[in-house]
Amino acid sequence: MRPIAEAIEGSNAKRGLWSSRFAFILAATGSAVGLGNIWKFPYITGENGGGAFVLVYLLCIAAIGLPIMMAEVLIGRRGGRSPVNSLKAIAGHDRLNPAWRMVGAVGVIAGFLILSFYSVIGGWAVSYVGTAASGQLTGQSADAIGAIFSNLLADPVTLLMWHTLFMALVMLCGGKRGSRGDLSARSPFLMPALFLLLLTVVGYAMTTGEFGRAVTFLFQPDFTKLTTSGVLVALGHAFFTLSLGMAVMMAYGSYLPKGISIAKTSIAVCVIDTAVALLAGLAIFPIVFANGLEPGAGPGLIFQTLPLAFGQMPMGSLFGTLFFVLLVFAAWTSGISLLEPIVEWLEEQKSMNRTRSTLAAGFVCWLLGIASILSLNLWSDFAPLGWIGMLEGKTVFDLLDFFTANILLPLGGLLVAVFAGWVMSREAIEKELALSKPMFRLWYITVRYITPVAVGAVFIYNLFGS
Ligand code: TRP
């Protein structure tokens, strides 16, 4: 299922294209589906009170995420080059306006920052493969499961070991040319297997007796629980979970053959990604309620709930091991797509070869990751920007997450929307998207007006609102 090299004229000639729409969807979901869906979505939903937050998140996916994904893929396919060169080619200038150069810069900076903490969480997932396989979870109480997790967090050396291992895995694949999510493209069974295992846990969760309460929590909006910052988190997460705002989908789009529908493929990616997140929520919250756990427990939520389910269900050690293995794969393919923009940038700027660029990029992410590890133990009370109201009590790890997902990615997405809506020629876009008239108009109005206004408004409210 590797992208096959097709001799076509123009800029795509040497790049090789995806062999089919299916291959593109596999690669794009390989990037999109990751820790964001299974680790982050449930815990931020718990922290932000459930239903109303989920509704805003779904709205952000449909009304902002999907149109921006289409814009990224469109720019990539139209330009047929690396993201920044595509923007240059489309804008028709050799020296790109600084505003558009920022799209590339956001990609590189966000890549460094996100991968640094992403790898630490990926390390947690790796460590739980062993925990589940060794049968330690079987029959344990919620307290014992909680203790396994807090012991892991309290130990910087162990965390560093797993973080190092995860980063090494990412670099191993990132070092190969044209890696763009190849792993998932070559192993098309990974995603369906993860889906099936999630369904298994949902099936188990239904037997806990609290399934109804979880469904109410997730899908019955209570707007009194939604805060201004909750809206920002929902918006930011829509970008994070769909891998938007970093020009990653733009890079993927440059390999998409002409004639394949950008709208249909983007919708498929959004639907799969959202389905995985919602399933994760349905798997986790019944366990939360059945065991009297705290929905707002924070980043450890899945590691304090899923192991309980695996400890209680028949053949739980087997299912648990498989689940964490697949979670590692999902995080791995996403991690590769986070490293890619940095590696490409280093290759272009410093004329380093691919191996060196990968080593350099990976090393910096690894080093930065140590700050996130320390935030979990030695620096857990250290809130460097705590004097800013909104950032009160946020550790280095929290800050990295907040700044990238809630600020950098929406900013990158905003730039993409403005570029597609205001810089590109309307005719070119119409041809490229090949939508019906009313659908095109809807999309165009969204990227031209709705997205910039919505993202701007959420930013302004959070800065100046209470
Ligand atoms: N979408 C991935 C997740 O949900 C994370 C990710 C991978 C990402 N590549 C990205 C986020 C690029 C933003 C941009 O886990």
Side-chain angles (χ1 to χ4, degrees):
M1 200 76 60
R2 309 199 71 174
I4 48 163
E6 272 179 30
I8 56 153
E9 32 11 291
S11 49
N12 271 325
K14 281 200 269 46
R15 293 169 66 82
L17 298 176
W18 301 111
S19 49
S20 66
R21 174 166 150 209
F22 184 59
F24 176 85
I25 293 176
L26 274 178
T29 47
S31 165
V33 175
L35 296 170
N37 306 63
I38 294 169
W39 160 72
K40 196 172 173 190
F41 171 75
Y43 98 73
I44 56 177
T45 298
E47 282 182 344
N48 288 285
F53 175 84
V54 173
L55 190 69
V56 175
Y57 160 76
L58 290 176
L59 209 74
C60 289
I61 293 275
I64 297 177
L66 173 65
I68 291 195
M69 183 180 290
M70 288 169 63
E72 281 203 18
V73 176
L74 162 89
I75 294 171
R77 183 163 84 181
R78 180 99 196 133
R81 297 167 171 83
S82 75
V84 171
N85 288 332
S86 287
L87 292 168
K88 268 189 201 162
I90 294 170
H93 303 294
D94 276 351
R95 300 196 124 253
L96 204 56
N97 182 317
W100 311 128
R101 272 222 297 273
M102 251 176 75
V103 174
V106 167
V108 174
I109 296 169
F112 270 124
L113 300 180
I114 296 179
L115 188 53
S116 77
F117 70 81
Y118 203 86
S119 167
V120 174
I121 314 293
W124 297 359
V126 180
S127 94
Y128 268 78
V129 173
T131 311
S134 65
Q136 283 176 56
L137 303 174
T138 312
Q140 295 290 4
S141 66
D143 284 346
I145 298 276
I148 294 179
F149 184 69
S150 23
N151 287 342
L152 174 68
L153 292 204
D155 180 357
V157 179
T158 308
L159 288 173
L160 183 66
M161 186 180 86
W162 295 120
H163 162 55
T164 309
L165 185 67
F166 186 85
M167 211 48 232
L169 283 175
V170 170
M171 288 161 72
L172 200 73
C173 285
K176 297 204 189 95
R177 179 158 294 286
S179 58
R180 46 176 194 280
D182 249 13
L183 202 59
S184 50
R186 248 187 279 169
S187 323
F189 65 88
L190 282 178
M191 206 63 72
L194 182 64
F195 209 80
L196 276 181
L197 265 167
L198 268 176
L199 275 177
T200 311
V201 188
V202 174
Y204 167 79
M206 283 177 170
T207 68
T208 61
E210 295 291 356
F211 194 70
R213 208 170 139 200
V215 172
T216 312
F217 179 75
L218 283 171
F219 298 112
Q220 202 176 78
D222 173 357
F223 284 96
T224 59
K225 292 201 182 127
L226 191 66
T227 57
T228 318
S229 78
V231 176
L232 178 66
V233 173
L235 174 76
H237 189 62
F239 285 93
F240 186 87
T241 191
L242 295 175
S243 299
L244 297 177
M246 257 182 67
V248 167
M249 289 298 161
M250 215 185 277
Y252 284 15
S254 71
Y255 300 100
L256 186 68
K258 306 266 174 205
I260 291 184
S261 161
I262 290 178
K264 279 189 201 152
T265 35
S266 304
I267 290 173
V269 178
C270 290
V271 168
I272 297 173
D273 188 83
T274 307
V276 174
L278 294 179
L279 270 185
L282 285 174
I284 285 158
F285 284 104
I287 307 170
V288 170
F289 294 128
N291 292 280
L293 299 170
E294 177 55 49
L301 189 64
I302 72 158
F303 296 93
Q304 286 156 339
T305 49
L306 291 178
L308 262 174
F310 294 128
Q312 288 163 9
M313 66 168 76
M315 295 201 299
S317 292
L318 177 71
F319 281 129
T321 311
L322 265 176
F323 176 84
F324 285 110
V325 166
L326 289 166
L327 182 61
V328 169
F329 269 103
W332 188 5
T333 52
S334 301
I336 293 168
S337 83
L338 283 162
L339 187 69
E340 188 65 21
I342 319 174
V343 171
E344 278 195 8
W345 175 73
L346 279 178
E347 275 187 307
E348 278 176 19
Q349 299 294 310
K350 310 267 177 247
S351 57
M352 276 198 248
N353 66 24
R354 178 110 194 150
T355 311
R356 279 191 177 201
S357 304
T358 305
L359 285 174
F363 177 72
V364 175
C365 291
W366 176 82
L367 205 63
L368 258 174
I370 295 176
S372 291
I373 290 181
L374 293 175
S375 321
L376 302 168
N377 34 68
L378 302 177
W379 293 356
S380 60
D381 293 326
F382 174 46
L385 301 176
W387 40 276
I388 302 173
M390 193 178 16
L391 305 177
E392 198 184 316
K394 287 202 187 309
T395 62
V396 177
F397 166 77
D398 299 332
L399 287 175
L400 283 169
D401 175 38
F402 182 88
F403 177 65
T404 50
N406 303 346
I407 306 212
L408 269 186
L409 298 181
L411 196 70
L414 182 74
L415 289 170
V416 165
V418 174
F419 188 87
W422 297 90
V423 176
M424 287 179 82
S425 100
R426 185 183 165 134
E427 292 69 48
I429 301 180
E430 274 194 279
K431 224 175 84 197
E432 201 73 53
L433 286 183
L435 290 170
S436 66
K437 268 260 168 331
M439 286 320 273
F440 175 77
R441 203 165 293 154
L442 185 64
W443 177 84
Y444 204 55
I445 291 174
T446 307
V447 291
R448 242 171 117 90
Y449 304 104
I450 299 180
T451 300
V453 170
V455 173
V458 175
F459 273 179
I460 290 168
Y461 259 102
N462 270 278
L463 276 179
F464 304 108
S466 55

